[in-house]
Amino acid sequence: MLSTYFAEHKERFLNELFELLRIPSVSADSKFKPDMRRAAEFVRDKLTAAGLDNAALHETPGHPVVYAEKLIDDALPTVLVYGHYDVQPADPYELWNTPPFEPTIRNERIYARGSCDDKGQFYMHVKALEAMLATDGLPCNVKVMIEGEEEIGSDHLGNFVAANRDKLKCDVILISDTSIIANDVPSIEAGLRGLSYVEVEVVGPNRDLHSGVYGGAVHNPLNVLCQMIASLHDEKGRITIPSFYDKVDELTTEERAALAEAPFDEEEYKRDLNLKAVFGEEGYSSPERASIRPTLDVNGIWGGYIGEGAKTVLPGKAQAKISMRLVPRQDPDEITELFTKHFISIAPPTVTVTVTPHHGGQPYVTPTDSVEFEAARRAFREAWGKEAIPTRGGGSIPIVALFEQELGVKSILMGFGLDIDALHSPNESYGLFNFYKGIETIPYFYKHYAELKKTGVEA
């Protein structure tokens, strides 16, 4: 039985995850390139050990894609599991309570970079598949694709998918890279925001200047950049870029009411983040601001002297990284173009401004009345004894919309993380409960999906 297999092997499952977490597979930093390959090889070997066939690394111009499969009957439906083995940079290291690549358990949580995003979550699938195969309990075909560039925009995965449509042909894509509301309130994300990510540079004088000799006579690029960024929002929290909201998909009163059924305690929200007050676009709740509304945020800003002590310098240039989260009907290329045109237009004549686009991704919405979504609902109901609430996620998984475009199938976002997991931040963590409960829940998806597809019962 599956439950017996889980109980007998759960310690090994965790130890294997720790091995994977110790590999610093940071895709954004070239110095970790050897570690990226080590992580890919680890995943390949564990897929083989789990009982899948044809596990291999498929090279791309960037980091390799890991693929494996178990095809048991052409008449059965096929599930494609997607995840990513790359992680965000761990900087600043000094803010971690324990080393980011030495997983540590505290208070029933695994602290390590990638523990939730996405190593802990995709590895649940590897172990769930192992258990199903070991107990002769896999009810349909499965394909697994784990990539190494999600955290830098999946730049090469689109070409890989387009070139391997036959290999990746499936009926549904199953992804665990999202979260639930709480451990006692399961949920399934029915949508994701898109993304436009840019880097801006403001250049003034041809070198850093003495702020006493030149201050007041030369426009400081760092001051200019701050003023320009500040102007990108009005007093009501709305983004001031012309035409930014033209294609925003506005939810109906009924749709907003349905989303509001998800429990949310604003006071607890503020306590958790040590906030005196919440902030955001006027007329929307905090959950709405973080899911169904577009945003513009500075992710980093630098220029001049930031070392220890004082250095009275007027910087020659200033830079910032800016991300815009987008909602359905907003196109990332169009938004990037609107931003670029506007940002250059508001620059004073004393500086030169350059906008460099980085990666982006389309927003995504999946129907909640499909067989696939119903299978996920039933899986949570059987494993958790509770109904899962449909939600909209605030994050972005750029490849999801591309999957639908290239493969013609929907994705089910069946994540098990929590808001407290500190994704992309120091002290990222993942609950032991969530790791093990995910492994328990995933086989129920296969069971119900195969049954629903066989009977032809609609959700």
Side-chain angles (χ1 to χ4, degrees):
M1 290 180 59
L2 277 172
S3 58
T4 302
Y5 192 89
F6 290 151
E8 291 175 349
H9 296 275
K10 63 182 298 185
E11 185 175 349
R12 174 174 62 83
F13 290 175
L14 186 62
N15 289 336
E16 289 178 7
L17 174 61
F18 274 32
E19 288 182 61
L20 179 58
L21 292 172
R22 290 189 181 102
I23 303 173
S25 49
V26 180
S27 54
D29 191 334
S30 60
K31 73 181 180 184
F32 293 105
K33 187 174 181 179
D35 299 299
M36 290 293 298
R37 192 159 199 91
R38 274 207 300 141
E41 291 171 346
F42 179 95
V43 175
R44 176 201 60 199
D45 294 345
K46 292 305 179 184
L47 288 169
T48 298
L52 280 84
D53 301 325
N54 302 317
L57 269 59
H58 294 262
E59 303 300 335
T60 76
H63 301 294
V65 173
V66 187
Y67 175 84
E69 61 190 16
K70 178 60 77 169
L71 307 179
I72 56 178
D73 189 335
D74 289 344
L76 295 174
T78 300
V79 177
L80 173 62
V81 175
Y82 165 82
H84 62 94
Y85 63 85
D86 66 321
V87 300
Q88 283 277 320
D91 314 67
Y93 282 68
E94 65 271 15
L95 296 184
W96 287 79
N97 294 327
T98 51
F101 296 107
E102 183 50 57
T104 306
I105 295 177
R106 299 195 303 274
N107 301 318
E108 297 297 303
R109 300 188 64 78
I110 307 163
Y111 285 84
R113 173 57 86 227
S115 55
C116 178
D117 184 17
D118 178 45
K119 289 179 177 178
Q121 295 220 59
F122 89 70
Y123 206 65
M124 297 182 308
H125 289 269
V126 178
K127 297 297 99 179
L129 288 168
E130 175 191 317
M132 285 188 283
L133 289 168
T135 58
D136 197 28
L138 182 65
C140 55
N141 303 310
V142 64
K143 300 176 179 180
V144 178
M145 179 175 66
I146 310 297
E147 68 149 322
E149 297 184 339
E150 196 276 343
E151 297 293 7
I152 53 174
S154 301
D155 285 347
H156 300 107
L157 193 61
N159 290 335
F160 176 81
V161 172
N164 291 275
R165 289 192 185 96
D166 289 341
K167 177 186 289 290
L168 301 174
K169 185 179 179 181
C170 60
D171 296 285
V172 65
I173 298 163
L174 186 59
I175 301 173
S176 294
D177 195 12
T178 53
S179 62
I180 55 175
I181 294 171
N183 282 347
D184 59 349
V185 187
S187 57
I188 308 168
E189 291 197 356
L192 296 164
R193 289 192 289 192
L195 176 68
S196 167
Y197 195 99
V198 300
E199 185 170 327
V200 299
E201 181 180 69
V202 176
V203 177
N206 60 3
R207 62 186 186 278
D208 289 355
L209 303 175
H210 189 296
S211 65
V213 174
Y214 293 97
V218 175
H219 214 169
N220 185 325
L222 198 47
N223 290 353
V224 172
L225 178 58
C226 291
Q227 291 163 356
M228 293 172 68
I229 288 172
S231 75
L232 296 176
H233 290 88
D234 65 17
E235 67 280 0
K236 295 183 178 181
R238 283 179 64 86
I239 296 162
T240 57
I241 298 171
S243 300
F244 186 87
Y245 291 94
D246 284 0
K247 293 185 178 180
V248 167
D249 188 10
E250 301 284 352
L251 270 65
T252 65
T253 301
E254 292 75 18
E255 288 172 324
R256 291 179 67 182
L259 289 175
E261 291 179 7
F264 177 74
D265 185 332
E266 189 166 286
E267 292 305 312
E268 176 59 30
Y269 185 77
K270 290 190 292 186
R271 281 195 298 272
D272 177 54
L273 299 174
N274 196 25
L275 297 174
K276 293 182 178 179
V278 296
F279 171 81
E281 185 181 358
E282 187 175 290
Y284 296 90
S285 66
S286 292
E288 288 176 328
R289 291 164 179 163
S291 62
I292 65 170
R293 300 302 295 167
T295 64
L296 186 154
D297 287 292
V298 178
N299 303 136
I301 186 168
W302 65 98
Y305 179 71
I306 57 173
E308 185 177 351
K311 181 182 181 183
T312 52
V313 63
L314 190 156
K317 64 181 179 180
Q319 295 161 281
K321 295 181 186 290
I322 296 173
S323 64
M324 290 161 279
R325 300 287 177 170
L326 313 178
V327 297
R329 296 185 61 240
Q330 284 187 300
D331 180 79
D333 291 336
E334 291 181 7
I335 293 299
T336 299
E337 185 177 347
L338 289 174
F339 174 91
T340 301
K341 181 179 178 181
H342 176 69
F343 202 72
I344 291 174
S345 74
I346 62 174
T350 51
V351 296
T352 300
V353 171
T354 303
V355 177
T356 303
H358 286 292
H359 61 279
Q362 294 284 348
Y364 183 78
V365 176
T366 192
T368 58
D369 58 355
S370 68
V371 166
E372 294 78 14
F373 203 88
E374 178 63 18
R377 286 185 199 266
R378 294 186 184 188
F380 273 105
R381 186 187 305 149
E382 187 161 356
W384 301 59
K386 294 185 176 184
E387 293 293 331
I389 299 171
T391 60
R392 291 280 191 98
S396 305
I397 307 177
I399 194 63
V400 173
L402 184 98
F403 279 150
E404 184 169 349
Q405 174 187 321
E406 296 291 345
L407 302 179
V409 295
K410 289 288 186 180
S411 295
I412 296 298
L413 305 170
M414 196 172 167
F416 297 89
L418 296 171
D419 286 346
I420 63 170
D421 292 341
L423 309 185
H424 296 199
S425 301
N427 300 305
E428 177 184 350
S429 65
Y430 191 41
L432 287 172
F433 170 87
N434 305 77
F435 178 63
Y436 289 127
K437 199 68 174 178
I439 298 172
E440 176 190 343
T441 306
I442 288 165
Y444 288 125
F445 173 85
Y446 286 86
K447 168 191 168 184
H448 290 296
Y449 183 57
E451 288 175 351
L452 288 167
K453 294 291 282 187
K454 182 178 180 180
T455 60
V457 175
E458 294 295 326

